[in-house]
Amino acid sequence: MAFIFWEWVNTLARWLHIVAAVAWIGSSFYFMALDASLRKRPHLPQGVQGEAWQVHGGGFYNMVKYLVAPSQMPAELTWFKWEAYTTWLSGFFLLCVLYYRGADLLLIDQSVMALTQGQAIALSIGLLAAGWVVYDLLCRSPLGRHNGALAAVGFVFLVAACWGTTHVFSPRGALLQMGALIGTMMVANVFLLIIPNQRKVVATLLAGGTPDASLGKAAKQRSMHNNYLTLPVVFLMIGNHYPLTYATRYNWVIFAVILVVGASVRHFFNTKHAGKPAPWWTWGVAAAGILLTAWLSAQGSADGGPAASAAALTVPFAQAQEVVMNRCSMCHTAAPAWDGISAPPHGVILDNPGDILRHADDIRRQAALSSAMPPGNVTLITPEERAILAAWSAGAASPHMASASVP
């Protein structure tokens, strides 16, 4: 029952996290598009930046934005914040339930850095806090007055942080840590700057004063950062299900490319919504970036395994089977021998020749071309053994070849 309980906790937390993220991303994208579509009209009162007419669900909407704030507070005001808070809280809960609770398998790789579970968790939380502090200081520094320069320095900071985490945590843990770091930066923007600045404006209006325009300007800058970081952080959140994105040799470079690809796509839509000529070149950048990530993912596993283009060797099935039985079958069996695992992961059994052959593609993806399995390399598989699996699985991927390989 404990196993079933935690499975449902995982499922419901993921459901909440996805729903909240959809709501947050949707409102973020909507307001960025709304801002870009505002147009000045002769009839608009002083202090209004512009208006936009929209149609949805059979009705017409006339949206108006004030440069700072209206002269008088409305009776009702909708605050957009709970979507962001719920996304982070549910995401951090998942981080605790999955990665902290299972740190020995998912967060720690002893061949990368010898850490205890407590040390790994403390480092993870510390890096989340430190990442926000560094980013916030950059934004508040003189650099923050120049959006282009700030974006360039921020990009270098995130890539350097990713490179560093790959030398601390397991490959999967490192990329998940970067997703959590960016998500923390985004929600901290809302909680520690955007909402407080809006509250200051409201308080000034209620007191009969004139709000400080710099408060809205700073909040708008952080909102823009959140908008451009949204697509990369979503990729990182789903990427932990795809080994070739995180468990290969140049995983930190893939992270850097994804930052560029995501920002390029958002730039296209932000520019188009503003009524400016569509920057079609961004799609070329995105396409080139995706091709580059595919090539990078084929350059070998994170722990030195062979590249996909390595010269194929003739490896008998018996040799590959020995590696699988020694490094994989203790978990991938009907009654796993690993503490905390009560059923074979994803229902995959690898303790007999027939099942090993049936899962040749999975073995190639998870344990040959990437170092996703064994998680945290808990069974100490070597690069040489990954090379054996890569050479065998290259031929075994074909059903005809696989059946012909059985002695």
Side-chain angles (χ1 to χ4, degrees):
M1 290 304 298
F3 171 78
I4 294 175
F5 170 78
W6 284 111
E7 282 294 294
W8 275 103
V9 167
N10 183 6
T11 300
L12 294 176
R14 284 178 185 271
W15 190 17
L16 174 62
H17 186 55
I18 292 170
V19 170
V22 168
W24 184 17
I25 293 168
S27 63
S28 171
F29 283 8
Y30 171 73
F31 280 105
M32 287 297 300
L34 176 61
D35 272 358
S37 65
L38 294 171
R39 300 291 182 266
K40 288 288 293 183
R41 309 292 185 198
H43 67 276
L44 295 176
Q46 186 176 3
V48 171
Q49 178 180 343
E51 71 171 356
W53 281 90
Q54 301 178 2
V55 59
H56 179 74
F60 290 86
Y61 299 82
N62 181 210
M63 315 297 289
V64 177
K65 179 181 179 180
Y66 290 83
L67 286 168
V68 180
S71 57
Q72 186 175 359
M73 278 296 298
E76 295 182 4
L77 190 62
T78 300
W79 294 77
F80 288 85
K81 57 182 181 178
W82 294 111
E83 306 95 325
Y85 300 164
T86 305
T87 300
W88 189 87
L89 289 171
S90 58
F92 187 74
F93 178 75
L94 278 171
L95 185 63
C96 293
V97 169
L98 296 176
Y99 282 79
Y100 292 168
R101 180 169 167 262
D104 54 338
L105 289 177
L106 299 179
L107 193 59
I108 300 170
D109 186 333
Q110 297 294 344
S111 64
V112 175
M113 180 175 285
L115 296 171
T116 65
Q117 187 167 355
Q119 290 172 337
I121 295 171
L123 273 172
S124 175
I125 295 175
L127 288 172
L128 294 182
W132 156 252
V133 170
V134 172
Y135 162 72
D136 186 54
L137 290 175
L138 287 174
C139 291
R140 295 178 186 275
S141 72
L143 190 68
R145 294 194 290 267
H146 309 281
N147 286 329
L150 178 61
V153 173
F155 172 79
V156 172
F157 161 65
L158 287 176
V159 174
C162 184
W163 179 86
T165 58
T166 62
H167 289 75
V168 175
F169 302 120
S170 69
R172 185 175 183 179
L175 271 292
L176 195 283
Q177 177 74 24
M178 289 309 302
L181 170 59
I182 296 176
T184 298
M185 289 163 47
M186 292 170 65
V187 78
N189 277 339
V190 177
F191 182 67
L192 297 176
L193 190 125
I194 296 174
I195 294 299
N197 282 12
Q198 290 175 342
R199 290 193 182 281
K200 292 175 184 177
V201 170
V202 170
T204 302
L205 283 172
L206 292 175
T210 302
D212 183 356
S214 66
L215 296 174
K217 183 178 180 181
K220 179 63 179 176
Q221 182 188 57
R222 301 299 183 98
S223 181
M224 178 69 76
H225 293 171
N226 283 3
N227 181 262
Y228 276 92
L229 288 171
T230 297
L231 295 184
V233 78
V234 170
F235 180 93
L236 291 171
M237 292 297 101
I238 64 174
N240 67 89
H241 297 286
Y242 302 94
L244 294 182
T245 67
Y246 67 82
T248 51
R249 185 167 300 163
Y250 298 109
N251 46 13
W252 66 274
V253 183
I254 291 176
F255 168 81
V257 176
I258 290 300
L259 285 179
V260 174
V261 170
S264 298
V265 173
R266 283 312 305 158
H267 183 67
F268 172 84
F269 287 104
N270 290 341
T271 304
K272 192 172 185 295
H273 290 151
K276 300 176 182 178
W280 294 103
W281 57 267
T282 56
W283 291 106
V285 171
I290 294 301
L291 290 174
L292 177 58
T293 58
W295 181 82
L296 288 168
S297 71
Q299 301 312 301
S301 66
D303 62 356
S309 59
L313 302 174
T314 301
V315 173
F317 174 74
Q319 193 173 356
Q321 182 185 15
E322 182 180 4
V323 174
V324 173
M325 295 299 293
N326 289 337
R327 307 300 186 185
C328 312
S329 66
M330 61 284 297
C331 292
H332 290 281
T333 187
W338 193 269
D339 290 340
I341 299 179
S342 57
H346 301 289
V348 175
I349 291 179
L350 299 174
D351 60 3
N352 63 84
D355 282 322
I356 291 174
L357 288 168
R358 273 191 291 275
H359 291 288
D361 280 343
D362 294 325
I363 293 170
R364 182 170 179 79
R365 185 184 307 111
Q366 301 274 357
L369 300 184
S370 79
S371 58
M373 290 291 165
N377 198 14
V378 292
T379 61
L380 303 178
I381 189 172
T382 67
E384 292 74 22
E385 288 173 321
R386 293 196 193 279
I388 290 171
L389 295 179
W392 165 75
S393 62
S398 163
H400 174 72
M401 291 290 294
S403 61
S405 300
V406 181

